[in-house]
């Protein structure tokens, strides 16, 4: 699933290869990379974001074993 996060096709392909070979992934900032992690079957994933709506969307769309947390950093602007 593509988002407006700014990944090029080359970035998507490289990240998919890296995540495919990974045993676990931890990232701050959910988005297209989170969808890539799910698509390639990352066995252990933890993601943190400062936007509660993104956390809820990611949780609803991801495999059951993915873990998500809200990092409340106070008021934010675009790109949290």
């Amino acid at each position: 699933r593509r988002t407006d996060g700014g990944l090029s096709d080359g970035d998507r392909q490289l990240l998919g290869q890296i995540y495919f070979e990974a045993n676990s992934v931890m990232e701050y900032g959910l988005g297209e990379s989170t969808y890539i992690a799910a698509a390639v079957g990352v066995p252990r994933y933890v993601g943190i974001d400062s936007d509660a709506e993104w956390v809820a969307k990611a949780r609803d769309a991801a495999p059951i074993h993915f873990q998500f947390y809200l990092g409340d950093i106070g008021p934010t602007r675009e790109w949290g």
Side-chain angles (χ1 to χ4, degrees):
R1 179 183 309 182
R2 288 179 184 242
T3 68
D4 295 329
L7 292 178
S8 69
D9 287 340
D11 292 339
R12 288 179 188 95
Q13 188 172 39
L14 178 60
L15 189 59
Q17 290 171 341
I18 291 169
Y19 279 7
F20 180 77
E21 296 174 7
N23 292 320
S24 61
V25 170
M26 190 280 175
E27 63 180 2
Y28 181 85
L30 308 177
E32 191 168 356
S33 59
T34 310
Y35 297 132
I36 291 170
V40 301
V42 170
R44 184 171 46 192
Y45 175 92
V46 175
I48 302 170
D49 201 280
S50 60
D51 185 326
E53 285 185 38
W54 266 110
V55 172
K57 285 181 186 178
R59 187 177 285 131
D60 289 345
I64 191 118
H65 67 280
F66 277 33
Q67 297 178 19
F68 297 97
Y69 298 94
L70 176 64
D72 187 354
I73 58 172
T76 62
R77 294 183 179 183
E78 186 177 21
W79 300 99

